[in-house]
Amino acid sequence: MENPSMLINDSTLISSENLIGFKGKVEFEKILNHLRNLILSSKKLLDSEFFTQSLFLSITALEEIAKIEVCVYRGFQNRELIKKAKDPLFSHKSKHFIAADPIILIGNRLQNSIGEERIKEILINLQSGKFVEIRENCLYFQRNQHSLKVPDDVIDIKLAFEILLVVIEMTGDKFWGLSKNASTISDELYEIYPDIENQMKLKT
């Protein structure tokens, strides 16, 4: 398994037109509220058994976590803007790689919920780009010469629970303590963690 720290570092040293970084604490906290809403929306979809749609939002939340982490540092100083196409934060694959931080293996909670080997498998799949395909499969049907497939045919619903748990853990690991609001949001998300875990055990 690779470590995304080098790509994170490289991404903090550049800026692009639509992602120059945060200009102060107010902007950072506004974006954390946006992340919170994505995660809670994913939970509501999960509660209503819209598993593939929930997974799509959770993957989107992973991408936003990657952007937030980088933009915290980008905001410290002005840099020459590069073209959007050269900014890793506009690539789904790069955002997934940045989000796949092995730090989540340190604690016991995720390991107790889904197992260390499964966490490693998820991180490897994020780093390899497999989640770009999974993301698309959450929403779009396919029809090749052999069969018709809709998202429910190709997505394992357990993954929707697993990724939402990963997202909650990552949010706390990366942002708890950076501000009062960041800690409040992390604590709020931790409170829904057991319910997601219990649902996963009952429905998968």
Side-chain angles (χ1 to χ4, degrees):
M1 188 190 311
E2 298 182 63
N3 191 315
S5 58
M6 184 174 295
L7 180 56
I8 293 172
N9 181 67
D10 291 345
S11 299
T12 63
L13 300 177
I14 59 175
S15 287
S16 57
E17 185 177 3
N18 292 328
L19 279 174
I20 63 172
F22 303 129
K23 297 301 181 183
K25 178 180 175 182
V26 172
E27 290 189 1
F28 170 65
E29 296 200 335
K30 183 175 183 178
I31 295 305
L32 282 183
N33 286 329
H34 157 67
L35 175 62
R36 168 190 176 274
N37 290 341
L38 278 176
I39 295 170
L40 293 180
S41 295
S42 179
K43 171 68 164 59
K44 285 183 178 295
L45 287 168
L46 207 58
D47 292 342
S48 299
E49 300 190 351
F50 291 110
F51 301 114
T52 63
Q53 295 87 346
S54 170
L55 178 56
F56 181 86
L57 280 189
S58 291
I59 295 172
T60 303
L62 279 177
E63 295 178 359
E64 293 295 74
I65 287 171
K67 288 164 61 182
I68 294 168
E69 182 174 15
V70 170
C71 283
V72 165
Y73 295 99
R74 283 188 180 182
F76 285 143
Q77 58 183 335
N78 293 324
R79 298 177 174 88
E80 183 179 354
L81 298 181
I82 65 168
K83 292 183 179 180
K84 177 179 174 181
K86 293 185 178 180
D87 187 344
L89 297 187
F90 287 95
S91 160
H92 292 297
K93 183 176 180 179
S94 294
K95 287 183 287 188
H96 297 172
F97 188 90
I98 289 171
D101 192 336
I103 192 174
I104 64 172
L105 291 168
I106 295 175
N108 293 324
R109 184 163 58 172
L110 266 181
Q111 293 187 37
N112 292 336
S113 298
I114 62 179
E116 182 177 355
E117 291 306 310
R118 179 58 175 157
I119 300 169
K120 289 180 179 178
E121 182 182 353
I122 289 170
L123 293 179
I124 289 169
N125 287 338
L126 283 167
Q127 293 179 352
S128 70
K130 185 173 182 178
F131 269 82
V132 175
E133 179 183 359
I134 292 172
R135 177 184 176 275
E136 292 183 356
N137 288 342
C138 287
L139 295 184
Y140 304 114
F141 76 85
Q142 306 169 44
R143 182 58 171 104
N144 58 27
Q145 292 183 339
H146 306 290
S147 64
L148 170 70
K149 293 182 179 179
V150 296
D152 288 340
D153 295 331
V154 296
I155 297 295
D156 179 0
I157 68 168
K158 188 175 183 181
L159 187 60
F161 294 94
E162 292 172 332
I163 297 303
L164 188 51
L165 293 176
V166 167
V167 165
I168 291 172
E169 193 73 5
M170 280 187 177
T171 300
D173 284 345
K174 292 179 182 291
F175 306 128
W176 195 96
L178 293 186
S179 73
K180 182 177 179 180
N181 191 45
S183 297
T184 298
I185 288 173
S186 298
D187 290 342
E188 177 187 2
L189 295 176
Y190 284 154
E191 289 180 4
I192 67 172
Y193 187 103
D195 184 49
I196 298 165
E197 183 180 31
N198 290 334
Q199 283 192 61
M200 180 175 66
K201 291 176 181 178
L202 290 172
K203 296 182 180 180
T204 63

